[in-house]
Amino acid sequence: MPSSEKLGNFTEQDAPTYESVLQCMRCGFCLPTCPTFALTGRERSSPRGRVALARAVAEEKLEFTVAVKQEAFFCLDCRACTTACPSGVKAGEVMEVCRSQAQQQSPPGHMASSFRSFILQRMLPDPDRLEMSMLPARLYQKLGIQWLVRHAKVLKLGPSWMEKAEGMLPALDAPLRPQEPEITPARGEKRGRVGFFLGCVMTLMYPNVSRQTVRVLAAQGFEVVTPPSTKCCGAPHLSEGDRQTARELALFNLNLFMQTEVDFIVTDCAGCGAALKEYEELLESAAEHDRLVVFREKIRDISEFLAEVGLRTEAMQLINKTVTYHEPCHLCHAQGISRQPRELLKQIPGLELREMNEASWCCGSAATWGLKFSRESQQVLDRKLNNVSQTGAELLVTANPGCQLQLAWGVREAGMTQEVVHVMELLGAATLDG
Amino acid sequence: MLSRTTIDELQRVVGAANVASEPEDLLVLGYDSTPGIHHLPEVAVYPTSTEGVLAVLEIARRDGLPVTPRGSGTGLSGGSVPAKGGMVLCLNRMNKILEIDEENLTATVEAGVVTLDLFNATAKKGLFYPPDPGSQKISTLGGNVMEDAGGLRGLKYGVTRDYVMALQCVLPDGSLIQTGGKSVKDVAGYAFKDLLVGSEGTLGIITEITVKLIPPPRDKRTILAYFSDIRTAGEAVSKIIAAKIIPSTMEIMDKATINCVEDYVKIGLPRSMAALLLIEVDGHPAQVAEEAAAVEVILRQVRAAEIHIAKDAEQAAGLAAARRTALSALARMSPTTLLEDATVPRSMLAETFAEIERLTAKYKLNVGTFGHAGDGNLHPTVLCDERDLEEMHRAHAFYDELYAQVLAWGGTVSGEHGIGIAKKEYLARQIGAGGVAVMKRIKQAFDPNGILNPGKIFADERE
């Protein structure tokens, strides 16, 4: 939301609009949906409170203080409040913009700042660098150092986030991007041509999930174009308040996919999908409106897409399992997609879907939130795992890599038996080759 | 300015984590859902026990610190806004359901329990707590009792007052009183309990509440009727009541409300209709069938444009949930939503709608009306922009004239939201100087130093 006129105590660049904060009539419908309010019972850590803080900054009743910055980053950006708000207030988006204000108004110290810009501006925008950086982690696992580290408990000596981050690493395979062909032909009767947006975390951490996504799309009759030069969608940058780099990445991806002749642009990462669908607002003054609208209309989450075009289920394999579904915030709240993944799961023969309580309550991952607030994240996770275990399901299904990392780690730490999988892994398993 | 010593003392009696004095915490505790009202407190305290409340009030009394109790801050008349600064006493961390007594059909809860949590807990035991204010997912029982909250089921089941059996209450003089009990009958002395219900936090701080529970209705049916003229809807309501049918719910939404709600819930509400009535009858299956049929006959008689029956409980619940979002959904239309709570004898409903239409045109305003039609309790809501002072002036003139008419018809200025800060003048008009004087004497008897929620219900002497 770049604005030309300075609003109150916000800086000119990337500030919330006055309308976006004035819209809140303080009914409090958001309160029972907010994980951080549930944790603290503290009004300022609720969506209503956060919007009121932003409004006070806009009305010059408050400086952009350290506490405002803290609340901007303590917000999970899970968007549950957006779903709950009858007045159409987007507290999560207001806080996301306030994160950018935080970087402008009270930048972190030199060390933190260099580290942050190294990750956000040097590593993430460059797929090659990212892939190189994962090599040590893979060697670390392959050479058995991970086993040694975990058993010797050496990470207990470092900061708590480091042990958690290490613990969350899934078994790593080689990144998918360099392996995946640019064009994967459709199988059977051709139904169309889609672009596949391969996200950074998917290619690096979950190459096998995205491999299945492309395989299933092809089996469903779609020719799949996976542009190898795709860059990070910009979601991590938005989340960290670096809207400038996010815009640069968005512009690159916009141009890349607009040059590619495809009917739809599909992603299997809820975080990427949500970000791609927000390019229209993000690039408002940086690209032509018409192109942004065309781009926006092509973006689909994989489950949204498959439910929309209809699954060809004739040759599907039986999977005799009970599953429960955890809704990623960036799918159900940011994109309003709740029904579709469930519909797909129900179409897999033999699969039994058991609903958990609070399926759309955050798992406590929320990009880097789970590492920055590891104690609070554990509390949010425990609530989720309790709901999971009450279903007695054998598999825990989700649709976003951040959730999958957090849940797989949580299930293991809690000594639970559920395997955590992406919807597409199940659809992949149910899809025959040939 | 509050002294550091006082804050230290407060922290000592309730724990450091339960006292907040950072400006950002105070700023967001200066409002409730009432538009345009904001006052900064000096400190916020979150007691976790009755003992904590006693200790905190002791300090407040000694220092002459105003104390404003607060639940979830969903009030609509400014009741929990700290009009004179001082302390906001947040009771939302006292949120334990202490007992559900299945032999006496009562539940005892701490003041900060959320209304819907109590409803769900009693439903699990096959019991029913009927009061269901629009904000039941958020509002606390303490707040409900203090404002005597109503809800969608008020028509048949009454309001919060009708369910309060006992209260535990801390008075400003430091005493702890128990009033009422689990006995069904109790005429021992003055009915303090009834005085405390609806007292808006001006007489005492409620810490525990015992409510009456009833068996849930065995069956229910939900009827949705559309109208091409809102006055016809008003006529339908009056006729249903006159036919001696008491539905559990009879809610109205006008065209503006229907459209805003539909924008949010997307369940296919009729955007082009002038009004809809959401009617629910419940009870014994035979009675439900009979009453539903009778309601349909009346709806046809008055020529409702369309009549629909909810196909299952899920659809019925969806409709009720949609209705609960009405006020917040209207807020989509404009930055500011000024809502009122006018209530008239039910025979005057059609005239009231006509009057609202006339005044809307006279003052050139955008108004959405919804409410508990069966109770004669309407919420005409002016959709405006608080930055436009001239428009705000017209909005207030609209309400002034509407209330004059409502009072002339024998109605009331507040059906369920309370007087708070927002409606002090209107109350004086309704009950007169004599009425206000008696209320002030009662206030004086409970709170001689005037520390409890000052500046509410009536103007105090120093104003």
Side-chain angles (χ1 to χ4, degrees):
Chain A
M1 284 177 239
S3 63
S4 48
E5 217 172 299
K6 182 170 145 49
L7 175 64
N9 289 332
F10 289 114
T11 62
E12 277 167 51
Q13 181 75 18
D14 291 321
T17 62
Y18 192 45
E19 274 62 32
S20 69
V21 292
L22 210 54
Q23 198 63 38
C24 173
M25 50 81 69
R26 304 188 299 249
C27 65
F29 272 50
C30 53
L31 298 181
T33 70
C34 176
T36 58
F37 183 67
L39 286 178
T40 61
R42 199 174 179 185
E43 181 76 14
R44 71 173 230 197
S45 302
S46 75
R48 178 174 70 177
R50 289 180 176 125
V51 171
L53 290 179
R55 180 172 170 173
V57 175
E59 291 175 347
E60 297 183 351
K61 288 176 182 155
L62 188 68
E63 293 292 326
F64 193 94
T65 59
V66 173
V68 179
K69 175 181 172 174
Q70 281 168 352
E71 284 308 331
F73 282 96
F74 187 42
C75 166
L76 287 148
D77 198 17
C78 72
R79 313 280 172 103
C81 50
T82 303
T83 303
C85 180
S87 320
V89 178
K90 294 176 175 164
E93 282 182 28
V94 170
M95 282 303 111
E96 201 179 83
V97 181
C98 281
R99 289 181 184 186
S100 166
Q101 286 288 318
Q103 298 305 342
Q104 297 173 53
Q105 299 212 24
S106 57
H110 177 67
M111 280 295 283
S113 171
S114 322
F115 180 66
R116 181 175 167 277
S117 59
F118 172 72
I119 298 286
L120 292 177
Q121 286 150 27
R122 299 264 298 167
M123 297 301 292
L124 280 170
D126 188 332
D128 294 323
R129 278 212 186 102
L130 265 184
E131 278 156 18
M132 285 292 290
S133 75
M134 290 305 283
L135 200 60
R138 269 160 47 222
L139 286 174
Y140 168 79
Q141 291 186 339
K142 293 265 176 337
L143 299 177
I145 304 171
Q146 181 173 51
W147 184 89
L148 206 63
V149 164
R150 286 186 180 175
H151 282 75
K153 302 196 181 347
V154 292
L155 288 168
K156 295 258 181 269
L157 304 171
S160 65
W161 68 265
M162 200 183 272
E163 188 187 4
K164 181 175 175 186
E166 195 282 335
M168 284 171 79
L169 267 189
L172 295 169
D173 281 320
L176 180 65
R177 190 186 63 106
Q179 305 174 47
E180 197 61 20
E182 185 163 355
I183 310 273
T184 307
R187 278 165 39 197
E189 192 190 332
K190 188 174 171 183
R191 295 205 276 172
R193 180 177 157 97
V194 300
F196 178 56
F197 187 94
L198 178 58
C200 314
V201 187
M202 297 311 294
T203 177
L204 296 175
M205 304 273 191
Y206 290 109
N208 292 319
V209 174
S210 287
R211 186 174 286 124
Q212 295 307 322
T213 303
V214 175
R215 220 182 117 247
V216 169
L217 278 168
Q220 288 292 325
F222 294 94
E223 184 182 6
V224 186
V225 186
T226 312
S229 54
T230 305
K231 288 192 177 181
C232 170
C233 65
H237 307 80
L238 294 174
S239 165
E240 292 299 321
D242 180 3
R243 296 182 78 81
Q244 188 45 42
T245 309
R247 266 192 289 273
E248 288 161 17
L249 292 167
L251 204 55
F252 177 87
N253 288 324
L254 174 79
N255 290 331
L256 175 67
F257 277 89
M258 288 302 279
Q259 283 161 17
T260 316
E261 290 264 319
V262 289
D263 310 326
F264 294 98
I265 302 160
V266 179
T267 177
D268 55 5
C269 168
C272 294
L276 294 170
K277 288 179 179 177
E278 283 170 21
Y279 278 11
E280 196 179 336
E281 290 83 31
L282 183 65
L283 294 177
E284 202 182 350
S285 54
E288 293 157 51
H289 182 69
D290 292 353
R291 291 180 76 219
L292 289 169
V293 171
V294 173
F295 181 80
R296 166 69 188 83
E297 282 173 359
K298 286 187 179 189
I299 304 296
R300 295 287 185 281
D301 176 75
I302 182 69
S303 62
E304 179 185 21
F305 179 70
L306 291 175
E308 188 178 316
V309 297
L311 217 49
R312 295 199 297 219
T313 54
E314 314 83 68
M316 272 207 170
Q317 295 299 293
L318 200 66
I319 300 183
N320 281 318
K321 294 275 185 197
T322 51
V323 305
T324 188
Y325 175 62
H326 159 73
E327 305 200 44
C329 299
H330 279 83
L331 199 57
C332 66
H333 299 306
Q335 300 185 59
I337 297 170
S338 267
R339 166 182 58 81
Q340 297 91 328
R342 292 180 166 92
E343 278 178 15
L344 297 179
L345 291 172
K346 285 180 190 161
Q347 286 185 69
I348 298 176
L351 206 70
E352 183 199 335
L353 174 62
R354 293 186 188 165
E355 286 295 337
M356 69 170 95
N357 285 329
E358 304 181 328
S360 63
W361 190 271
C362 183
C363 66
S365 172
T368 55
W369 193 90
L371 297 175
K372 285 179 189 147
F373 301 97
S374 54
R375 192 173 55 88
E376 289 83 356
S377 173
Q378 187 64 49
Q379 291 173 284
V380 181
L381 179 62
D382 287 344
R383 181 170 176 155
K384 176 60 64 179
L385 294 180
N386 181 38
N387 284 323
V388 171
S389 65
Q390 278 177 20
T391 65
E394 294 162 277
L395 297 178
L396 171 53
V397 188
T398 188
N400 185 53
C403 308
Q404 198 165 349
L405 285 167
Q406 167 94 342
L407 292 169
W409 177 78
V411 161
R412 201 174 59 237
E413 291 286 301
M416 289 163 62
T417 55
Q418 280 83 4
E419 191 188 340
V420 183
V421 296
H422 192 289
V423 174
M424 293 314 295
E425 289 177 85
L426 285 176
L427 277 175
T431 300
L432 270 185
D433 276 319
Chain B
M1 185 61 196
L2 205 57
S3 74
R4 185 66 233 173
T5 335
T6 306
I7 292 178
D8 287 344
E9 271 185 275
L10 289 169
Q11 288 185 337
R12 208 168 50 241
V13 297
V14 294
N18 292 318
V19 177
S21 56
E22 283 187 47
E24 292 82 1
D25 278 294
L26 302 178
L27 191 125
V28 298
L29 293 169
Y31 55 66
D32 63 4
S33 292
T34 320
I37 295 179
H38 188 261
H39 293 277
L40 272 184
E42 293 163 83
V43 65
V45 182
Y46 295 81
T48 52
S49 66
T50 301
E51 292 67 38
V53 176
L54 275 163
V56 165
L57 272 193
E58 179 69 37
I59 294 169
R61 186 163 49 105
R62 191 200 58 204
D63 290 6
L65 200 62
V67 176
T68 302
R70 184 180 194 275
S72 292
T74 59
L76 290 162
S77 57
S80 61
V81 173
K84 308 283 174 188
M87 177 198 302
V88 173
L89 193 65
C90 300
L91 292 157
N92 63 328
R93 291 184 188 166
M94 288 179 63
N95 57 2
K96 284 191 280 296
I97 297 176
L98 300 170
E99 179 197 52
I100 295 175
D101 181 343
E102 293 179 79
E103 290 185 350
N104 287 304
L105 306 190
T106 63
T108 301
V109 300
E110 290 183 332
V113 167
V114 169
T115 316
L116 188 63
D117 291 347
L118 174 64
F119 174 90
N120 287 333
T122 57
K124 271 190 194 149
K125 307 229 175 211
L127 289 162
F128 180 33
Y129 176 68
D132 61 340
S135 56
Q136 61 171 357
K137 270 190 195 171
I138 316 125
S139 66
T140 62
L141 264 304
N144 291 169
V145 171
M146 278 309 185
E147 300 293 330
D148 190 12
L152 273 60
R153 299 189 192 105
L155 174 54
K156 178 171 179 177
Y157 291 102
V159 295
T160 305
R161 173 184 301 284
D162 301 310
Y163 294 85
V164 175
M165 295 189 73
L167 295 173
Q168 185 187 68
C169 182
V170 178
L171 297 183
D173 68 359
S175 56
L176 179 69
I177 61 163
Q178 302 277 349
T179 165
K182 289 182 183 176
S183 308
V184 174
K185 296 166 118 181
D186 181 0
V187 294
Y190 289 145
F192 283 143
K193 159 175 87 68
D194 292 301
L195 196 52
L196 289 165
V197 175
S199 64
E200 305 193 24
T202 60
L203 302 181
I205 304 290
I206 293 171
T207 52
E208 271 181 38
I209 303 155
T210 300
V211 295
K212 174 170 84 175
L213 305 173
I214 59 175
R218 283 170 52 194
D219 194 13
K220 59 173 106 175
R221 196 162 308 170
T222 301
I223 303 161
L224 201 55
Y226 306 158
F227 299 86
S228 43
D229 184 329
I230 194 164
R231 280 166 291 198
T232 320
E235 197 189 325
V237 171
S238 301
K239 285 203 162 150
I240 289 169
I241 301 289
K244 302 178 180 62
I245 301 165
I246 306 293
S248 56
T249 289
M250 194 144 54
E251 294 291 310
I252 194 160
M253 291 197 262
D254 73 352
K255 189 172 187 171
T257 314
I258 292 170
N259 278 282
C260 288
V261 170
E262 179 61 15
D263 281 345
Y264 174 57
V265 296
K266 301 183 180 74
I267 54 172
L269 297 178
R271 288 182 179 276
S272 60
M273 287 291 169
L276 73 72
L277 280 179
L278 174 68
I279 304 171
E280 189 168 282
V281 289
D282 70 2
H284 186 278
Q287 178 203 354
V288 168
E290 199 178 296
E291 290 187 349
V295 166
E296 274 194 70
V297 168
I298 294 170
L299 290 172
R300 271 196 218 97
Q301 272 172 9
V302 299
R303 295 179 193 283
E306 286 178 43
I307 302 166
H308 299 273
I309 312 282
K311 66 176 193 296
D312 52 29
E314 201 184 330
Q315 194 186 14
L319 288 165
R323 156 59 189 91
R324 285 178 205 287
T325 67
L327 170 61
S328 316
L330 279 170
R332 288 174 168 263
M333 300 270 284
S334 62
T336 311
T337 40
L338 276 186
L339 150 119
E340 281 298 345
D341 189 23
T343 306
V344 295
R346 289 169 293 194
S347 57
M348 301 309 292
L349 265 179
E351 287 83 347
T352 309
F353 285 122
E355 182 68 359
I356 291 171
E357 274 183 6
R358 186 182 73 80
L359 294 174
T360 302
K362 177 174 174 186
Y363 291 106
K364 300 188 183 62
L365 291 165
N366 197 358
V367 177
T369 300
F370 62 96
H372 316 294
D375 302 335
N377 183 187
L378 300 179
H379 300 311
T381 304
V382 177
L383 309 174
C384 49
D385 187 334
E386 60 198 73
R387 291 167 291 185
D388 183 345
L389 296 179
E390 191 271 332
E391 185 185 39
M392 295 303 279
H393 186 74
R394 277 185 281 129
H396 288 294
F398 168 90
Y399 286 125
D400 270 350
E401 198 169 336
L402 178 64
Y403 274 126
Q405 185 58 62
V406 164
L407 290 177
W409 282 331
T412 173
V413 298
S414 180
E416 57 179 3
H417 296 164
I419 299 301
I421 301 175
K423 279 189 280 195
K424 291 194 275 194
E425 276 174 49
Y426 292 134
L427 175 73
R429 276 195 234 170
Q430 182 173 333
I431 65 171
V436 172
V438 175
M439 285 194 184
K440 283 189 176 175
R441 287 208 294 278
I442 293 171
K443 164 77 175 168
Q444 181 72 22
F446 275 82
D447 181 21
N449 300 318
I451 63 166
L452 270 192
N453 210 0
K456 304 297 167 66
I457 305 183
F458 31 77
D460 66 39
E461 308 302 339
R462 282 153 288 183
E463 273 181 50

